[in-house]
Amino acid sequence: MAVLPSLATVADLATLLGRTFTPQQELQAQALLDQASSVVRAYVRQDITRATTTDTFTMRRADPYLHRCAGVVTLPQRPVVDIATVLVAGVESSDWWQDGSDLLLKAWPWNEPPAAHRPPQVTVTYTHGYDPVPGDIQAIVLQAANRVIVNPSGIRSETVGGESVTYLIPAVGEYLGVLLSRTEQRVLDRYRRTAGTVNLRSR
């Protein structure tokens, strides 16, 4: 599986901080941006960046009154920019159309093999994601990385004379480095995939 790029750049982070990084600091900044990007992607369950993927799914029966077709596949990566090819049970098909993230297949004999024994497998090559990365996602990645650079120990307050130190403890427990605040999660909820789609393989 290809390594996904960071959702923000070291140059973006340097501009946010108003500083110039040394080579060693650039490596640290890139590592933090990679971590923050991974955390954001895990939360929204999306790759986010523009890419072309080939995935294989199990076709499910469509509601004939809602979809007016034989079968449907919901593509998990969004937004769907373009669908290049569709193979049903290994045979290329042009008998389909797109409705948002749904791939609708016009006709399929469900009472004949292989559908009689199990639903057919649908292999889809499609382009998805954003180019450029939405500004609010980029801002959250930069904020998450910046928090660690500015406050690597997660200290919220410190009293020097009385030797009192208060640490930033997230709701999940101990301080773990690059995390998302609840406010940031609420912002990301608009991009989050909530409906499950069975993904058999990708290449």
Side-chain angles (χ1 to χ4, degrees):
M1 183 176 179
V3 177
L4 296 172
S6 296
L7 297 171
T9 68
V10 172
D12 294 330
L13 187 56
T15 299
L16 176 68
L17 294 173
R19 57 186 285 191
T20 300
F21 292 133
T22 66
Q24 183 62 35
Q25 290 170 337
E26 286 185 355
L27 293 175
Q28 179 193 26
Q30 186 61 65
L32 290 172
L33 290 171
D34 290 342
Q35 292 177 26
S37 298
S38 295
V39 168
V40 167
R41 286 185 168 111
Y43 182 77
V44 300
R45 304 183 187 127
Q46 295 286 304
D47 291 348
I48 300 174
T49 45
R50 180 71 53 84
T52 299
T53 304
T54 299
D55 285 338
T56 298
F57 310 93
T58 297
M59 185 194 301
R60 68 180 188 273
R61 289 181 183 272
D63 183 332
Y65 299 102
L66 178 62
H67 295 111
R68 299 185 183 276
C69 64
V72 60
V73 165
T74 299
L75 302 174
Q77 294 298 327
R78 302 166 187 170
V80 176
V81 178
D82 178 66
I83 298 176
T85 59
V86 176
L87 280 71
V88 182
V91 179
E92 187 167 357
S93 172
S94 59
D95 200 11
W96 56 269
W97 70 96
Q98 178 189 349
D99 183 11
S101 295
D102 287 337
L103 174 67
L104 308 174
L105 295 114
K106 185 175 182 180
W108 186 260
W110 287 88
N111 59 341
E112 298 177 10
H117 307 294
R118 64 183 180 90
Q121 307 305 298
V122 182
T123 300
V124 184
T125 298
Y126 68 111
T127 300
H128 52 81
Y130 298 91
D131 184 18
V133 173
D136 49 358
I137 292 180
Q138 187 181 65
I140 287 171
V141 170
L142 290 170
Q143 290 166 9
N146 181 47
R147 280 196 295 269
V148 179
I149 290 178
V150 173
N151 192 7
S153 299
I155 298 176
R156 185 174 58 215
S157 63
E158 184 175 13
T159 302
V160 178
E163 298 182 355
S164 175
V165 177
T166 303
Y167 289 92
L168 176 59
I169 307 296
V172 294
E174 61 185 308
Y175 178 75
L176 298 174
V178 180
L179 293 173
L180 298 173
S181 70
R182 290 176 180 172
T183 299
E184 290 166 343
Q185 289 176 346
R186 285 195 291 270
V187 173
L188 291 172
D189 281 344
R190 65 188 293 257
Y191 300 99
R192 196 178 192 198
R193 185 175 82 240
T194 55
T197 301
V198 177
N199 214 18
L200 297 181
R201 66 177 182 271
S202 63
R203 59 179 184 270

